[in-house]
Amino acid sequence: MSNIILRSDLDINKLKLIKNGDSGFYGKIYRLDNEECVKIYNTFNKYVISYSIKELIDLTKINIPNVINPKKVIIRSFETNYDEIALGYIMDYIDGNTLNEIDKMRIKVFLQKYKNLLETVKQISNLRIVIQDCHLGNIMLNKNTGNFVFIDIDDWHFEKNLSNNMIVKTNFEYINNSIMSKILYYGFDKIAGKVDHNTDIVDFYSTFFEKESKEKRISLKTIRDLRNTYK
């Protein structure tokens, strides 16, 4: 199958560990070449969440812009049962920074990119996928395209029981809470529950920040300004 690769075909010792990769508890990410990288799970740690080969193969079938999904699943041998634990996976390499590293970005630019990311969330939801383990470190600003992209999606899963509307609602609330609560900190309490998947995100947050600027008599222009105000 084109979406699997043997562990023996990868000489990890010759690969470069990516500086900002997940090089601790769950595994390590290595650079394969200019276009791809590989995540190797720490399968020897019994406390690490394990993923079956079948689960990851299902994620290789996703084809959504701005979603960096597994391209090939790493297995031990071709005789391996697909219900067994995967050893890792290969994905596209993204040159960029995580949302933890965008303090200098202007708020207006951020909101437009965030709105576009939420459009991607709609596409994800339409495939009946529930997003999990999403935080500022798992979303990157792609330097080549200027878009926010989802990475490290191995916790995502296809949902069989929830309605389509519930999947859309669940994913939106999860993403909005995961991102904005970490950017606004305690300030997020002021808007929690006031935004849903039908909200004009740019208009809502622009109005909120303008009001906050006037009330606090401060200038809110960059992400750093927000974090300094609400930390």
Side-chain angles (χ1 to χ4, degrees), residues 74-90:
I74 302 170
I75 64 175
R76 199 174 306 278
S77 74
F78 286 117
E79 284 72 39
T80 300
N81 186 314
Y82 282 12
D83 289 327
E84 292 183 23
I85 296 173
L87 302 182
Y89 61 90
I90 293 174

Side-chain angles (χ1 to χ4, degrees), residues 20-230:
N20 291 323
D22 180 7
S23 56
F25 195 72
Y26 292 103
K28 298 180 179 181
I29 299 178
Y30 299 88
R31 184 81 172 266
L32 277 180
D33 51 37
N34 291 332
E35 297 182 353
E36 293 181 328
C37 56
V38 56
K39 181 173 184 178
I40 302 296
Y41 292 127
N42 184 4
T43 55
F44 298 103
N45 189 331
K46 65 179 180 180
Y47 298 106
V48 171
I49 299 173
S50 58
Y51 306 91
S52 74
I53 295 170
K54 183 181 183 303
E55 287 175 318
L56 291 183
I57 286 179
D58 286 342
L59 292 177
T60 66
K61 301 172 184 177
I62 299 174
N63 184 20
I64 301 176
N66 303 319
V67 175
I68 308 305
N69 58 302
K71 295 171 65 177
K72 293 184 179 181
V73 181
I74 302 170
I75 64 175
R76 199 174 306 278
S77 74
F78 286 117
E79 284 72 39
T80 300
N81 186 314
Y82 282 12
D83 289 327
E84 292 183 23
I85 296 173
L87 302 182
Y89 61 90
I90 293 174
M91 58 187 160
D92 286 334
Y93 172 78
I94 296 297
D95 184 16
N97 299 311
T98 70
L99 295 201
N100 284 316
E101 307 166 294
I102 60 167
D103 279 5
K104 295 181 180 180
M105 181 177 289
R106 297 185 72 82
I107 293 172
K108 289 183 179 180
V109 174
F110 168 81
L111 288 178
Q112 188 57 59
K113 294 180 184 299
Y114 182 46
K115 179 180 180 179
N116 294 340
L117 184 74
L118 292 176
E119 289 299 317
T120 299
V121 171
K122 290 181 181 178
Q123 296 180 57
I124 295 166
S125 302
N126 289 338
L127 292 181
R128 301 192 56 77
I129 295 172
V130 172
I131 300 171
Q132 293 181 316
D133 189 32
C134 183
H135 49 77
L136 299 188
N138 279 350
I139 301 175
M140 293 185 69
L141 171 63
N142 187 329
K143 288 183 179 179
N144 294 324
T145 65
N147 297 328
F148 289 160
V149 299
F150 288 104
I151 63 169
D152 215 6
I153 72 164
D154 39 17
D155 278 301
W156 295 13
H157 70 273
F158 289 86
E159 175 58 51
K160 297 179 180 179
N161 299 316
L162 294 178
S163 68
N164 289 346
N165 287 339
M166 184 56 66
I167 292 175
V168 171
K169 182 176 183 295
T170 298
N171 281 339
F172 173 84
E173 290 179 352
Y174 179 62
I175 294 300
N176 193 59
N177 292 346
S178 298
I179 294 177
M180 297 309 293
S181 65
K182 294 299 184 295
I183 288 179
L184 294 176
Y185 296 102
Y186 76 80
F188 183 72
D189 294 340
K190 294 186 176 183
I191 54 93
K194 297 181 180 180
V195 185
D196 63 27
H197 59 280
N198 293 314
T199 302
D200 185 323
I201 290 297
V202 174
D203 181 65
F204 176 85
Y205 281 113
S206 295
T207 302
F208 171 70
F209 295 144
E210 182 178 351
K211 181 180 178 181
E212 288 287 284
S213 295
K214 291 180 179 179
E215 289 181 356
K216 298 180 183 298
R217 296 182 179 180
I218 57 176
S219 177
L220 295 176
K221 294 183 178 180
T222 68
I223 299 300
R224 177 180 291 150
D225 293 337
L226 293 177
R227 287 175 168 162
N228 288 339
T229 300
Y230 296 109

